[in-house]
Amino acid sequence: MFRTKLSEPRASGELYTSKLMHRHIGAIAALILISLLSSLSGTPDRHSISNCWEGFLWGLADPVISLDCLVGILAIGLLSSAFVRGAVIVRYFVLAAVLGIVIHLFQPNFPGTEIAIAISAILFGTMLMMPNQPNFIVLALVGISAGLFQGYANAESIIGAGMIPIVAYILGISLTLFVVAMSAREIGSAIAMAEINRILPGKMSIAGFAFCAIGIVFLSNLII
């Protein structure tokens, strides 16, 4: 009888964790699908923005079209789940991306942004594989740096666009970054809970390994 009573809360916790993860994974998948569908009128490498609607749609799409950029967004959300105030790190990341866009509008020449994004993906993956949680300040600084580079790289789309399309683009990109990163944060919290209860052991490390591999592939293609 006593064992049955103990197993019921655990089963309830497993069901809640599973539902929570599926809900946020679905939210990320839905937003990515919407973003990709919205970009059907152009290509990831070459597209121009001429009006407010195009600015907003490409703002939604640009952060998730490139896999190494998507890895950075997911990783910052997963890593921030280790902290009670981790949502602050996500906000810093989004604000840094917006700042990177603004910096690019003034057209200073910052070479090597794609390499920096690939390196940040490797760094994020390494952090996820570490047994101990990263330092809050270190993660915040790495997140800000990654956000700056991602925003700078994505802003290539709006060079020469009008003010209203630029504002719409920034709104779209901020929405995608925030929703995906915060959903990943909730998934990270659910994974951490599952690992504590030995439901899904080692899942965060597996994600870290996958992110590292993606970063290495992109870095190799850029260097070679």
Side-chain angles (χ1 to χ4, degrees), residues 135-186:
N135 180 274
F136 183 90
I137 296 177
V138 171
L139 179 59
L141 292 175
V142 173
I144 290 171
S145 300
L148 282 171
F149 286 118
Q150 287 200 25
Y152 185 90
N154 289 330
E156 187 69 32
S157 306
I158 55 174
I159 297 298
M163 181 57 66
I164 294 179
I166 288 175
V167 171
Y169 181 87
I170 291 175
L171 288 175
I173 202 171
S174 300
L175 177 62
T176 293
L177 290 175
F178 187 77
V179 171
V180 173
M182 288 301 292
S183 294
R185 171 175 161 77
E186 295 299 326

Side-chain angles (χ1 to χ4, degrees), residues 1-89:
M1 178 69 70
F2 182 67
R3 183 177 297 176
T4 302
K5 288 182 178 180
L6 283 178
S7 63
E8 288 177 356
R10 182 173 181 179
S12 176
E14 293 178 7
L15 181 61
Y16 173 77
T17 300
S18 178
K19 285 183 177 180
L20 185 64
M21 289 181 62
H22 289 157
R23 186 183 307 154
H24 289 285
I25 290 173
I28 293 175
L31 184 56
I32 291 174
L33 178 60
I34 293 171
S35 300
L36 294 177
L37 289 175
S38 71
S39 66
L40 290 178
S41 60
T43 61
D45 296 326
R46 295 182 180 180
H47 55 269
S48 59
I49 295 173
S50 59
N51 55 57
C52 178
W53 180 242
E54 288 182 352
F56 182 72
L57 291 181
W58 277 110
L60 290 176
D62 273 348
V64 297
I65 288 177
S66 180
L67 187 57
D68 55 342
C69 288
L70 177 59
V71 161
I73 303 168
L74 294 174
I76 199 70
L78 291 173
L79 288 166
S80 70
S81 66
F83 305 97
V84 176
R85 298 177 58 224
V88 175
I89 296 176

Side-chain angles (χ1 to χ4, degrees), residues 80-102:
S80 70
S81 66
F83 305 97
V84 176
R85 298 177 58 224
V88 175
I89 296 176
V90 174
R91 295 189 185 99
Y92 287 162
F93 175 76
V94 176
L95 290 174
V98 173
L99 179 59
I101 294 172
V102 174

Side-chain angles (χ1 to χ4, degrees), residues 100-144:
I101 294 172
V102 174
I103 291 173
H104 200 162
L105 292 177
F106 290 96
Q107 299 183 355
N109 185 19
F110 288 164
T113 54
E114 297 294 337
I115 293 177
I117 292 172
I119 292 175
S120 66
I122 298 172
L123 186 58
F124 282 139
T126 303
M127 287 182 175
L128 285 169
M129 289 189 292
M130 293 173 60
N132 300 321
Q133 67 182 28
N135 180 274
F136 183 90
I137 296 177
V138 171
L139 179 59
L141 292 175
V142 173
I144 290 171

